[in-house]
């Protein structure tokens, strides 16, 4: 029986936690594997059906400081590896730890090295601002000791291959490919636009809100639903205050996955203006529902959407351009077309976590 460690002590929300859960769920398909999960809190998996072959160990103080995090990666993790003697160690939060294992993998999902930070980032998210300068050095530590370095898209794989001189980069898609031609269409409910996102400065809420301010002045009937509210942190609070006069914007706050799916099912247009993603899971989710999708004209968005026949790209820095697109949609002028984005890659590509885990556990 093989033994594998999943280390995700820093993952507590959003897409990164969902990736962790996908790995845990995938273990059900492997009966000859003993699994040790290192987590922030066990409660993150309280509504999750855990396989019988999993042991969970929590580290609730890990996010108190970066000193605690680094101590965990380079001291505690080494002790754990000597105690459990795993065949495979998978670090799911960017940094390559100091561990003893036959095979070691690091899953790199933090996109901050690819972002040019601004004052807004410094004002509302100083940690992210600092990471845009430091994360490439955090990535570099021990990275060559890995059996494989996992990223989600080819353009990131190119960066890692060149920046760190790696020949073992793996591309793993966080969600299986969706063929829109086989997906049942959802009728659009009026001119309702939906942006499910955590309140991060690089998520580019401003371009949407400025756009809907223009639409509000023009008495356009479009509505925007956001998953932030004034209780979602200082950045979100500032947005809610600045744009509180907009009757065409609904600040609904954080939603459960079930609540998000209900909005998809009721019919809407996904609008995704983010400036930085390693994937962008809502894009794949909306694609699965066959919804109209409006995307930032950026590399990550083109690669995530792939081939799709109901998409529109826009300049994510131009709220006026976006408002013109939405006005044309209101006037029933055709806006959505087909994306034929395809990726030819020299890297091993895994279409889902099951296939990636099979590779990790192979001799």
């Amino acid at each position: 029986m093989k033994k594998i460690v999943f280390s995700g002590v820093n993952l507590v929300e959003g897409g990164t936690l969902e990736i962790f859960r996908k790995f845990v769920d995938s273990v059900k398909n492997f009966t000859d594997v003993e699994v040790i999960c290192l987590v922030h809190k066990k409660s993150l998996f309280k509504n999750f059906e855990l396989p019988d072959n999993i042991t969970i160990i929590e580290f609730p103080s890990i996010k108190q400081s970066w000193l605690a995090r680094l101590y965990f990666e380079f001291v505690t993790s080494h002790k754990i590896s000597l105690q459990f003697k795993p065949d495979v160690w998978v670090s799911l939060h960017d940094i390559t730890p100091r561990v003893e294992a036959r095979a070691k993998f690091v899953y790199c999902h933090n996109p901050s090295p690819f972002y040019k930070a601004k004052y807004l980032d410094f004002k509302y998210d100083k940690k992210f601002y600092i990471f845009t300068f430091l994360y490439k050095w955090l990535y570099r530590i021990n990275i060559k000791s890995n059996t494989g370095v996992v990223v989600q898209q080819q353009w990131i794989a190119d960066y890692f291959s060149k920046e760190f001189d790696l020949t073992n980069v793996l591309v793993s898609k966080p969600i299986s490919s969706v063929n829109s031609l086989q997906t049942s269409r959802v009728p659009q409910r009026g001119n309702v636009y939906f942006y499910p996102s955590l309140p991060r400065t690089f998520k580019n809420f401003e371009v949407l809100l400025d756009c809907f301010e223009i639409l509000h002045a023009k008495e356009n009937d479009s509505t925007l639903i956001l998953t932030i509210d004034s209780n979602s942190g200082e950045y979100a609070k500032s947005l809610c205050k600045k744009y509180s006069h907009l009757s065409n914007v609904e600040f609904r706050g954080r939603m459960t996955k079930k609540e998000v799916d209900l909005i998809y099912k009721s019919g809407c247009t996904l609008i995704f203006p983010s400036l930085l993603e390693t994937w962008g899971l809502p894009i794949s989710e909306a694609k699965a529902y066959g919804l109209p999708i409006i995307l930032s004209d950026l590399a990550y968005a083109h690669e995530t959407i792939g081939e799709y026949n109901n998409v529109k790209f826009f300049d994510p820095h131009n709220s006026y351009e976006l408002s013109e697109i939405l006005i044309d949609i209101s006037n029933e002028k055709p806006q959505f077309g087909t994306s034929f984005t395809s990726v030819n890659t020299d890297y091993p590509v895994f279409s889902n976590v099951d296939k990636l885990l099979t590779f990790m556990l192979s001799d």
Side-chain angles (χ1 to χ4, degrees):
M1 177 175 288
K2 289 185 177 179
K3 190 178 295 183
I4 184 170
V5 171
F6 293 132
S7 178
V9 296
N10 205 46
L11 309 180
V12 297
E13 63 182 357
T16 55
L17 180 59
E18 288 305 311
I19 295 298
F20 194 176
R21 288 171 172 163
K22 285 179 183 291
F23 272 97
V24 173
D25 186 61
S26 182
V27 171
K28 297 175 183 177
N29 301 318
F30 300 85
T31 57
D32 58 342
V33 176
E34 180 184 350
V35 184
I36 298 96
C37 281
L38 312 180
V39 307
H40 178 59
K41 288 184 178 180
K42 293 180 180 179
S43 59
L44 293 169
F45 294 84
K46 65 180 180 180
N47 296 322
F48 197 83
E49 185 180 346
L50 293 171
D52 295 332
N53 56 338
I54 284 187
T55 300
I56 291 187
I57 306 173
E58 66 176 6
F59 295 84
S61 63
I62 203 70
K63 293 178 72 67
Q64 290 181 353
S65 71
W66 258 94
L67 182 61
R69 168 74 186 281
L70 294 176
Y71 186 87
F72 171 84
E73 299 290 2
F74 303 123
V75 180
T76 305
S77 292
H78 187 251
K79 292 179 180 178
I80 293 172
S81 71
L82 294 178
Q83 176 187 351
F84 288 102
K85 298 180 173 58
D87 297 287
V88 182
W89 185 290
V90 184
S91 175
L92 291 165
H93 36 45
D94 305 310
I95 295 177
T96 302
R98 175 174 169 257
V99 296
E100 301 294 329
R102 178 185 58 79
K104 296 184 289 185
F105 297 87
V106 60
Y107 196 115
C108 299
H109 56 76
N110 192 305
S112 56
F114 320 115
Y115 181 72
K116 186 176 181 180
K118 306 182 293 293
Y119 172 73
L120 183 70
D121 306 298
F122 177 78
K123 181 178 180 180
Y124 290 112
D125 196 344
K126 291 181 175 60
K127 180 188 289 187
F128 175 73
Y129 181 86
I130 294 171
F131 280 175
T132 61
F133 300 102
L134 296 184
Y135 227 92
K136 68 170 58 178
W137 305 108
L138 293 173
Y139 271 139
R140 190 181 299 275
I141 300 171
N142 290 341
I143 197 167
K144 287 184 175 292
S145 69
N146 288 293
T147 306
V149 176
V150 184
V151 299
Q152 294 181 350
Q153 293 193 329
Q154 179 184 318
W155 69 273
I156 304 174
D158 290 339
Y159 173 89
F160 273 78
S161 180
K162 295 173 183 177
E163 181 71 21
F164 306 123
D165 191 26
L166 299 176
T167 58
N168 59 344
V169 181
L170 313 173
V171 177
S172 178
K173 299 179 180 181
I175 190 166
S176 298
S177 298
V178 175
N179 188 338
S180 64
L181 299 178
Q182 298 177 358
T183 305
S184 59
R185 288 288 176 188
V186 177
Q188 188 178 0
R189 177 167 56 91
N191 293 315
V192 177
Y193 299 90
F194 183 38
Y195 183 30
S197 178
L198 295 171
R200 303 287 185 265
T201 50
F202 60 86
K203 294 293 186 175
N204 200 22
F205 287 94
E206 288 82 0
V207 74
L208 286 188
L209 291 165
D210 287 343
C211 166
F212 274 79
E213 189 158 41
I214 294 171
L215 297 181
H216 184 265
K218 292 179 179 291
E219 298 184 350
N220 180 273
D221 64 351
S222 299
T223 300
L224 174 64
I225 299 173
L226 299 177
T227 55
I228 63 172
D229 60 17
S230 58
N231 297 315
S232 304
E234 288 303 312
Y235 173 56
K237 184 177 180 179
S238 70
L239 292 174
C240 293
K241 180 179 180 180
K242 180 177 179 181
Y243 297 97
S244 61
H245 61 287
L246 297 182
S247 59
N248 54 351
V249 177
E250 298 179 15
F251 296 97
R252 293 198 186 178
R254 182 170 296 190
M255 297 181 182
T256 64
K257 181 65 166 62
K258 183 177 181 180
E259 290 170 332
V260 169
D261 286 339
L262 284 175
I263 294 179
Y264 288 146
K265 290 176 182 178
S266 68
C268 65
T269 296
L270 179 75
I271 187 164
F272 204 82
S274 179
L275 299 173
L276 183 67
E277 300 289 333
T278 49
W279 186 262
L281 283 175
I283 299 173
S284 296
E285 293 169 347
K287 183 178 177 180
Y289 281 100
L291 295 171
I293 301 174
I294 301 175
L295 297 177
S296 293
D297 192 4
L298 297 172
Y300 83 82
H302 282 273
E303 192 165 339
T304 300
I305 195 66
E307 185 175 341
Y308 192 56
N309 58 5
N310 204 9
V311 64
K312 174 72 175 181
F313 294 95
F314 77 102
D315 179 354
H317 301 285
N318 193 331
S319 57
Y320 178 78
E321 176 193 341
L322 181 58
S323 70
E324 290 296 299
I325 292 171
L326 301 194
I327 289 171
D328 283 344
I329 292 172
S330 294
N331 293 330
E332 299 184 353
K333 295 181 180 179
Q335 291 295 307
F336 298 96
T338 300
S339 167
F340 292 102
T341 306
S342 61
V343 179
N344 297 316
T345 178
D346 295 327
Y347 311 100
V349 178
F350 302 89
S351 58
N352 55 53
V353 169
D354 288 348
K355 293 180 179 179
L356 176 60
L357 189 54
T358 298
F359 175 82
M360 289 175 167
L361 290 168
S362 63
D363 293 324

